[in-house]
């Protein structure tokens, strides 16, 4: 995608943002890989060592990856009206768009479990076990606290990939921990700060 197309999409993205406050969650990033040092370096380059998640209203959000590598993710901007994720990278002005209205993971089971305390908040977790279309097994865990700020889960109805729409609709809260477990590596985002930003 050309730069001017990205700027046009980004302008429309921000123009739809509404609400009494924006919500910002900062995470530490942890990555473990199994038997492959190259896989560990690849994922560290892609995801960095931290993440900032800004919820902008109307189901829109921006993920900013901190200290990712030269070819790693810079931002992922989601517009709920279009169901598209706009992905930018550190080494390029070009961006990719990803349609996340369809889930790339076939669900095997979903269950709720008790979680740990995060930011001194008692958490519950929802676990989704499934298989990617390439027949790769994966387990996704989202942890949340009912004491966290409210998010209207219905606003995320177009982000079905990675079970996000289901998670937000089930909880009406931001996730404080995200864990993706695959046969090659595990990726964990754990919240270290959450704050409301008045408009």
């Amino acid at each position: 995608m050309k730069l001017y197309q990205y700027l046009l999409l980004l302008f429309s993205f921000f123009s739809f943002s509404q609400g009494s406050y924006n919500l910002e969650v900062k995470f530490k990033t942890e990555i473990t890989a199994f038997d492959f040092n190259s896989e560990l370096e690849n994922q560290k380059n892609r995801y960095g060592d931290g993440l900032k998640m800004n919820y902008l209203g109307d189901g829109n959000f921006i993920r900013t990856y901190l200290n990712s590598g030269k070819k790693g993710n810079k931002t992922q901007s989601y517009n709920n009206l279009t169901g598209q994720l706009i992905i930018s990278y550190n080494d390029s002005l070009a961006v990719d768009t990803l349609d996340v209205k369809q889930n790339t993971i076939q669900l095997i089971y979903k269950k709720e479990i008790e979680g740990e305390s995060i930011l001194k908040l008692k958490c519950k977790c929802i676990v989704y076990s499934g298989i990617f279309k390439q027949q790769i097994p994966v387990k996704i865990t989202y942890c949340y606290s009912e004491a966290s700020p409210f998010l209207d889960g219905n606003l995320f109805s177009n982000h079905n990939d990675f079970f996000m729409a289901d998670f937000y609709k089930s909880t009406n809260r931001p996730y404080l921990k995200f864990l993706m477990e695959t046969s090659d590596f595990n990726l964990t985002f754990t919240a270290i700060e959450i704050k409301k930003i008045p408009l």
Side-chain angles (χ1 to χ4, degrees):
M1 179 182 286
K2 304 283 188 183
L3 178 60
Y4 71 90
Q5 293 173 306
Y6 171 66
L7 293 174
L8 182 63
L9 278 170
L10 200 59
F11 174 76
S12 66
F13 174 78
F14 281 111
S15 69
F16 294 126
S17 299
Q18 297 176 354
S20 58
Y21 62 84
N22 292 337
L23 186 63
E24 180 179 278
V25 187
K26 291 182 180 178
F27 300 87
K28 67 177 179 180
T29 301
E30 297 172 285
I31 303 168
T32 56
F34 311 107
D35 299 327
F36 301 103
N37 289 330
S38 59
E39 182 65 27
L40 179 60
E41 289 306 312
N42 179 46
Q43 298 306 326
K44 284 183 176 180
N45 178 72
R46 184 177 182 185
Y47 294 108
D49 62 11
L51 177 73
K52 185 171 67 172
M53 182 85 163
N54 290 97
Y55 296 92
L56 303 176
D58 282 6
N60 301 324
F61 60 73
I62 296 178
R63 295 188 191 104
T64 304
Y65 293 86
L66 308 177
N67 301 313
S68 54
K70 183 178 179 181
K71 295 184 179 297
N73 291 325
K74 184 176 182 180
T75 62
Q76 293 182 346
S77 305
Y78 174 67
N79 187 325
N80 194 50
L81 290 181
T82 64
Q84 285 189 323
L85 199 63
I86 304 167
I87 306 168
S88 66
Y89 304 95
N90 290 323
D91 68 341
S92 175
L93 292 177
V95 297
D96 289 330
T97 57
L98 184 64
D99 184 345
V100 293
K101 293 190 293 292
Q102 300 297 318
N103 199 340
T104 56
I105 305 172
Q106 179 184 349
L107 181 65
I108 297 174
Y109 69 81
K110 169 187 174 182
K111 67 178 180 180
E112 293 191 36
I113 61 173
E114 290 298 317
E116 62 200 276
S117 178
I118 302 173
L119 296 174
K120 299 182 179 179
L121 300 173
K122 183 179 180 181
C123 292
K124 298 178 181 179
C125 301
I126 300 178
V127 180
Y128 300 89
S129 181
I131 300 176
F132 280 114
K133 290 182 178 178
Q134 301 86 349
Q135 299 303 305
I136 301 171
V138 62
K139 186 161 67 174
I140 306 290
T141 303
Y142 295 100
C143 298
Y144 69 99
S145 171
E146 293 177 347
S148 294
F150 176 84
L151 290 177
D152 184 351
N154 292 317
L155 297 178
F156 300 89
S157 59
N158 278 329
H159 198 313
N160 290 302
D161 205 13
F162 281 68
F163 310 104
M164 289 196 74
D166 184 79
F167 166 76
Y168 287 120
K169 186 176 181 180
S170 299
T171 65
N172 291 304
R173 296 293 185 275
Y175 58 85
L176 299 182
K177 184 173 185 177
F178 168 89
L179 170 61
M180 179 171 68
E181 299 173 84
T182 74
S183 57
D184 291 336
F185 70 95
N186 291 347
L187 171 67
T188 307
F189 302 125
T190 306
I192 56 174
E193 181 183 17
I194 183 169
K195 62 182 178 179
K196 293 179 180 180
I197 301 175
L199 295 181

